[in-house]
């Protein structure tokens, strides 16, 4: 697998597709660029999902999130795109993505989006 940013989320078969369970992932290393200033925005991204037939492979998720580093995106757009791409790849029973962004201009932003099949 590559060690470069990638928009591809790799999935693997879920060994327990008939069991309902929750997977929680978190990374404090998410960055994107502010579309107004070009300055970096930092966030902790939380992803929680109930898998069905597929699991998301973690290194591909890391490289996927890394792909936002050189893109200018608003906080709300980033979090919604992450959820959309995650759902398209993994086809989970449900999923939730939270982007907890550091303070910019004195304002703390936390964006939460959810999907239920």
């Amino acid at each position: 697998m590559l060690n470069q940013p990638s928009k591809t989320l790799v999935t693997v078969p879920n060994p327990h597709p008939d069991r309902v369970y929750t997977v929680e992932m978190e990374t404090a290393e998410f960055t994107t660029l502010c579309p107004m200033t070009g300055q970096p925005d930092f966030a902790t991204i939380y992803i929680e999902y109930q898998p069905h037939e597929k699991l998301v492979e973690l290194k591909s998720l890391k490289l996927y999130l890394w792909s936002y580093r050189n893109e200018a995106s608003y906080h709300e757009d980033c979090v919604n795109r992450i959820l959309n791409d995650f759902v398209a790849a993994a086809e989970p029973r449900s999923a939730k993505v939270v982007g907890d962004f550091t303070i910019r201009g004195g304002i703390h932003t936390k964006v939460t989006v959810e999907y239920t099949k």
Side-chain angles (χ1 to χ4, degrees), residues 91-113:
E91 301 173 354
R93 289 180 170 93
S94 66
K96 178 166 109 175
V97 177
V98 177
D100 190 357
F101 290 83
T102 57
I103 294 174
R104 183 196 325 151
I107 298 175
H108 172 241
T109 304
K110 189 173 188 179
V111 180
T112 302
V113 293

Side-chain angles (χ1 to χ4, degrees), residues 73-92:
S73 297
Y74 291 103
H75 300 158
E76 299 83 354
D77 183 42
C78 287
V79 177
N80 276 279
R81 286 172 45 208
I82 292 167
L83 179 70
N84 291 345
D85 292 344
F86 193 92
V87 168
E91 301 173 354

Side-chain angles (χ1 to χ4, degrees), residues 21-95:
Y21 63 97
T22 302
V23 177
E24 297 177 33
M25 299 167 288
E26 171 184 340
T27 181
E29 297 179 359
F30 182 82
T31 58
T32 191
L33 299 175
C34 172
M36 298 296 286
T37 66
Q39 295 296 308
D41 284 330
F42 301 90
T44 298
I45 299 292
Y46 303 90
I47 300 173
E48 178 181 305
Y49 76 111
Q50 289 184 337
H52 191 223
E53 299 291 329
K54 303 174 191 176
L55 302 172
V56 171
E57 193 278 324
L58 294 180
K59 184 169 184 182
S60 77
L61 178 61
K62 176 181 118 174
L63 297 175
Y64 170 81
L65 293 172
W66 185 10
S67 74
Y68 283 84
R69 279 195 183 164
N70 295 320
E71 291 183 10
S73 297
Y74 291 103
H75 300 158
E76 299 83 354
D77 183 42
C78 287
V79 177
N80 276 279
R81 286 172 45 208
I82 292 167
L83 179 70
N84 291 345
D85 292 344
F86 193 92
V87 168
E91 301 173 354
R93 289 180 170 93
S94 66

